[in-house]
Amino acid sequence: MHVQVINLTRFGDLLQTQPVFSGLKGLGATTSLVCLDTFQGAAALLRDVDGVRPLPGARLLARLDRDWTLAAAELCTWLDSARDDRPDTVLNLTPTLAGRLLGRAFHGRDIQGFGLDDDGFGRYSTPWAVFLQAASTYRGCSPFNLVDLFQRVAGLEPGEFRLRAPGEEAMARAACLLAGAPGVGQVAFQLGASQDYRRWPVEAFVRAGRVLWSRTGRSPVLLGTAGEGHLARRFVELADYPCTDLTGRTDLPTLAAVLSRTDFLLTNDTGTMHLAAGLGVPVAAVFLATAQPFATGPYLEGSLSLEPDLPCHPCSFGEACPHGLACREALDGAAVGELLASFMTGGPTVPDGFPGRVWEARRDDRGYMNLLSLSGHGREDRSLWIAIQRDVYRQFLDQRQDAAAPAWPGGDSDF
């Protein structure tokens, strides 16, 4: 059976579909991926993908700006070439009209995940697909990690998230880039973020790096795109200890190789975070503003997610912050450095008075990725409410009630 997976999302989301391909391969299927050509390089990091069909999204938009008939002709030409290898099943993991239409063009009505009916209304193959659509549209705090949601939409049980190991050439380039890097080892720092208001300040990274250098003898390796070079230059200007600036100097395979040579990654909520998790590199991720670790945290057991301990966090999407982005300053860099130093030497041990919430990624008894509080926040209302949602939603979406009555923390055991 040949399954064609459609995923027209960004770098990080694309990486998070890895367990879907491995799960399908385990069922004996061959798989192909349709992704935007912008992220074709990311597809090379995925295992168990037998073929990739990049969609020329930017070129289609350019044609559309000039003349819609040119865009239609471009799309038809691309579809004709793709139909040469007609799949038995199409699994669309993109809950947009574009993704639904593309799936319909490939395979008529028999679409798994997100499809369209004969009248143009949305069709969903499972209740999990309905939930993922709602979670994507109304960006509240989903109680399930996106990796698990992708797998459940595909009808798969939660599985391992493991990306392709970097090749020899990429490892050789990484070795050259890190040759002469100071210290007994290196830690990777991803300074940038998708939006500036979700970015931990450079000054905080500098303070964390200072503690790590003095406590563990490991120096930071600064990662990011060329467009994030100004953040690295600011870091180098402020740091009174050695570091290595690789911003703008790594393609995706080399980035993966560099990460695999470091002891852990300190990062914002980014695609680099998911790349490190898929490579088995320990991650400590800072979640600010609207970023929510229960939904998009690193899918690697033992990884850490850090949040400011503020009553307004996480905040709602699309609303101006009335507190002057206080969350960006709430997590002290030195305290994070102390936490990570203990993490690397047998911990993690949360320092007394740590100014934030610390979560460790752990699978629950059903195999879904969950977060365990290391900082005493597991009994707060938000944590209890997420636990209840995970229990009730899972039974409802699976359309199967557990034989035993749920024992919710602090609540009634009846539905």
Side-chain angles (χ1 to χ4, degrees):
M1 180 177 66
H2 175 202
V3 180
Q4 184 162 273
V5 178
I6 299 175
N7 190 328
L8 305 180
T9 53
R10 300 176 300 174
F11 172 57
D13 291 350
L14 185 58
L15 294 182
Q16 290 176 94
T17 60
Q18 170 64 72
V20 171
F21 291 101
S22 297
L24 293 172
K25 182 69 70 174
L27 297 176
T30 60
T31 60
S32 58
L33 167 67
V34 175
C35 64
L36 294 173
D37 56 353
T38 311
F39 300 115
Q40 184 177 0
L45 301 171
L46 300 173
R47 292 184 303 112
D48 299 323
V49 179
D50 298 302
V52 178
R53 293 193 177 277
L55 179 70
R59 196 162 72 233
L60 284 170
L61 290 176
R63 297 282 196 275
L64 191 62
D65 286 341
R66 290 175 54 195
D67 184 338
W68 72 267
T69 60
L70 296 176
E74 176 86 18
L75 180 60
C76 287
T77 300
W78 183 85
L79 284 170
D80 286 341
S81 66
R83 289 194 184 102
D84 293 341
D85 186 20
R86 183 176 177 84
D88 300 299
T89 301
V90 170
L91 171 61
N92 176 30
L93 297 177
T94 310
T96 64
L97 181 57
R100 293 172 187 269
L101 287 168
L102 195 59
R104 185 69 181 264
F106 271 119
H107 208 269
R109 294 186 58 194
D110 185 20
I111 308 298
Q112 299 299 306
F114 304 99
L116 288 173
D117 65 17
D118 290 337
D119 297 313
F121 292 100
R123 291 180 67 250
Y124 304 87
S125 61
T126 71
W128 284 96
V130 181
F131 181 85
L132 178 54
Q133 171 84 73
S136 302
T137 305
Y138 306 103
R139 300 291 297 276
C141 184
S142 169
F144 300 108
N145 192 287
L146 181 59
V147 177
D148 285 328
L149 288 178
F150 279 147
Q151 293 175 91
R152 296 305 293 132
V153 170
L156 301 167
E157 295 298 323
E160 182 185 26
F161 176 39
R162 181 167 59 87
L163 296 170
R164 185 187 300 276
E168 292 183 4
E169 291 185 6
M171 291 298 291
R173 290 194 296 271
C176 289
L177 290 171
L178 293 174
V184 298
Q186 285 74 47
V187 292
F189 282 10
Q190 171 68 45
L191 304 178
S194 57
Q195 290 92 22
D196 198 58
Y197 64 87
R198 291 168 57 154
R199 179 180 60 78
W200 203 36
V202 172
E203 293 78 6
F205 275 100
V206 171
R207 289 191 289 272
R210 182 178 295 115
V211 173
L212 287 168
W213 173 251
S214 64
R215 287 275 309 276
T216 73
R218 290 170 171 84
S219 64
V221 175
L222 310 181
L223 303 176
T225 64
E228 295 167 334
H230 66 287
L231 302 175
R233 289 190 291 274
R234 177 63 175 163
F235 186 102
V236 172
E237 177 185 338
L238 294 174
D240 53 357
Y241 52 90
C243 62
T244 304
D245 179 11
L246 297 185
T247 53
R249 301 178 62 190
T250 57
D251 56 16
L252 288 180
T254 307
L255 174 62
V258 168
L259 284 169
S260 69
R261 292 175 60 93
T262 61
D263 293 320
F264 77 83
L265 168 71
L266 175 60
T267 178
N268 296 295
D269 179 16
T270 61
T272 303
M273 173 188 74
H274 299 301
L275 176 56
L279 294 171
V281 178
V283 177
V286 177
F287 288 80
L288 304 174
T290 56
Q292 307 188 47
F294 284 90
T296 61
Y299 201 87
L300 177 67
E301 285 198 278
S303 289
L304 302 180
S305 294
L306 313 178
E307 296 182 294
D309 189 11
L310 298 173
C312 59
H313 179 79
C315 59
S316 300
F317 285 81
E319 296 183 6
C321 177
H323 307 295
L325 300 178
C327 63
R328 296 186 70 234
E329 307 294 336
L331 281 172
D332 176 68
V336 170
E338 293 290 346
L339 171 68
L340 298 185
S342 72
F343 178 72
M344 299 179 65
T345 56
T349 301
V350 180
D352 291 339
F354 184 82
R357 310 173 191 134
V358 182
W359 307 95
E360 184 177 11
R362 291 292 180 195
R363 291 188 185 271
D364 64 17
D365 57 359
R366 303 274 176 177
Y368 293 77
M369 194 61 71
N370 197 9
L371 296 180
L372 172 70
S373 175
L374 301 182
S375 52
H377 293 85
R379 301 291 299 179
E380 291 188 341
D381 287 349
R382 174 197 179 209
S383 304
L384 299 179
W385 176 231
I386 288 174
I388 292 172
Q389 289 182 85
R390 286 174 64 88
D391 191 29
V392 174
Y393 282 167
R394 181 183 50 74
Q395 295 180 71
F396 176 76
L397 296 172
D398 283 338
Q399 299 182 321
R400 182 178 65 249
Q401 184 175 345
D402 287 348
W408 296 326
D412 198 320
S413 62
D414 295 327
F415 279 103

